[in-house]
């Protein structure tokens, strides 16, 4: 899911695009989050969550701070059990139907283009399979061969399962992978999987992403990063 309460990307004030903690290292693969990392679905998500809040009689402000985790997890936290199935299904359909304004984020296409042909990247998203397909289609992003959705794992983010499964499908050790994320919950999932982490300041502030040393490095967006495959390994450097 995207961010249910924020309708504009945060400013990049104070972001220094410091990749020094990752420069000089190499990785078996890069595991990308989707919403907020590769594509901007924020306006559509905001509209859908606002609609669900209205229908369920919930204060929309209660959705704040729940970015980067499966929609079902948020629904279960805010609604009584007898509404979980219906509300999750309703939200999923709303989001599949509303992809207006879903666009690529800077540097996303270039990052995947550099890695996908060599089979060195995957997407691990909290979206359902159908929603991921709809947003990828709307954005025009050419996805890598491996796309792991919440439908493919027992537990979604902030649990490590999506990144562990993405690494498995690539034949890589999670501890040898780099996770790229925009949300604290996703970074926690990456850390729990044993991955190195790179954060982009597209839906959360640099301060939110740096708490508890969640991110090894923080950049404004992927346009600040260059990915290259050298001798079968992925290297990261400033663009």
């Amino acid at each position: 899911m995207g961010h249910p309460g924020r309708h504009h990307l945060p400013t990049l004030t104070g972001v220094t695009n410091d990749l020094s903690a990752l420069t000089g290292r190499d990785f078996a693969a890069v595991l990308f989050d989707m919403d907020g990392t590769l594509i901007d679905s924020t306006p559509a998500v905001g509209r859908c969550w606002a609609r669900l809040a209205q229908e369920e009689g919930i204060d929309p402000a209660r959705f704040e701070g729940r970015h980067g985790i499966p929609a079902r997890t948020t629904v279960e936290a805010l609604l009584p059990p007898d509404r979980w199935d219906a509300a999750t299904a309703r939200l999923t359909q709303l989001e599949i139907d509303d992809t207006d304004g879903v666009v690529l984020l800077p540097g996303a296409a270039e990052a995947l283009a550099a890695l996908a042909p060599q089979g060195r990247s995957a997407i691990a998203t909290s979206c359902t399979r159908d929603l991921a397909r709809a947003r990828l289609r709307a954005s025009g992003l050419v996805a890598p061969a491996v796309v792991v959705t919440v439908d493919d794992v027992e537990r979604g983010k902030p649990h490590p399962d999506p990144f562990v499964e993405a690494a498995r499908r690539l034949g890589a050790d999670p501890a040898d992978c780099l996770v790229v994320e925009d949300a604290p919950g996703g970074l926690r999932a990456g850390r729990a999987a044993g991955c190195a982490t790179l954060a982009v300041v597209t839906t959360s502030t640099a301060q939110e992403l740096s708490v508890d040393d969640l991110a090894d490095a923080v950049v404004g967006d992927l346009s600040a990063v260059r990915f290259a495959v050298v001798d079968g390994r992925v290297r990261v450097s400033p663009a």
Side-chain angles (χ1 to χ4, degrees):
M1 62 176 276
H3 198 297
R6 185 173 286 134
H7 295 265
H8 299 285
L9 299 184
T11 62
L12 303 185
T13 303
V15 178
T16 59
N17 292 331
D18 182 8
L19 287 168
S20 59
L22 300 176
T23 302
R25 300 176 61 180
D26 56 56
F27 303 94
V30 183
L31 314 177
F32 295 92
D33 172 55
M34 189 178 75
D35 291 278
T37 299
L38 297 171
I39 66 174
D40 177 18
S41 58
T42 306
V45 170
R47 291 191 297 268
C48 294
W49 279 97
R51 178 75 176 271
L52 183 72
Q54 181 183 37
E55 292 177 358
E56 296 290 340
I58 299 173
D59 181 356
R62 296 184 65 193
F63 291 126
E64 285 288 346
R66 296 182 177 274
H67 173 55
I69 60 176
R72 174 80 183 207
T73 303
T74 296
V75 167
E76 290 183 0
L78 299 180
L79 292 175
D82 64 338
R83 294 299 305 153
W84 289 352
D85 290 344
T88 301
R90 172 62 171 156
L91 178 64
T92 298
Q93 194 59 53
L94 285 170
E95 292 191 307
I96 289 172
D97 292 342
D98 186 354
T99 57
D100 186 35
V102 173
V103 296
L104 286 178
L105 283 166
E110 293 81 359
L112 290 186
L115 299 173
Q118 290 83 13
R120 298 297 173 182
S121 63
I123 289 175
T125 175
S126 291
C127 289
T128 64
R129 189 175 299 112
D130 289 343
L131 179 55
R133 187 177 297 119
R135 287 185 177 162
L136 287 168
R137 183 170 55 247
S139 70
L141 183 68
V142 179
V146 172
V147 178
V148 174
T149 72
V150 72
D151 295 327
D152 299 314
V153 294
E154 182 176 346
R155 303 175 303 171
K157 303 171 189 178
H159 298 288
D161 304 33
F163 292 123
V164 171
E165 176 62 14
R168 186 193 69 79
R169 294 187 185 186
L170 290 173
D173 182 346
D176 197 21
C177 293
L178 173 66
V179 159
V180 184
E181 265 281 357
D182 69 302
L187 291 169
R188 289 189 178 91
R191 279 283 189 240
C195 305
T197 53
L198 170 62
V200 291
V201 183
T202 50
T203 60
S204 301
T205 67
Q207 291 73 24
E208 289 170 328
L209 297 169
S210 299
V211 68
D212 298 329
D213 295 322
L214 288 175
D216 290 309
V218 180
V219 296
D221 57 43
L222 287 174
S223 68
V225 186
R226 179 176 178 269
F227 296 93
V229 179
V230 180
D231 297 329
R233 304 280 295 175
V234 180
R235 294 183 183 176
V236 180
S237 61

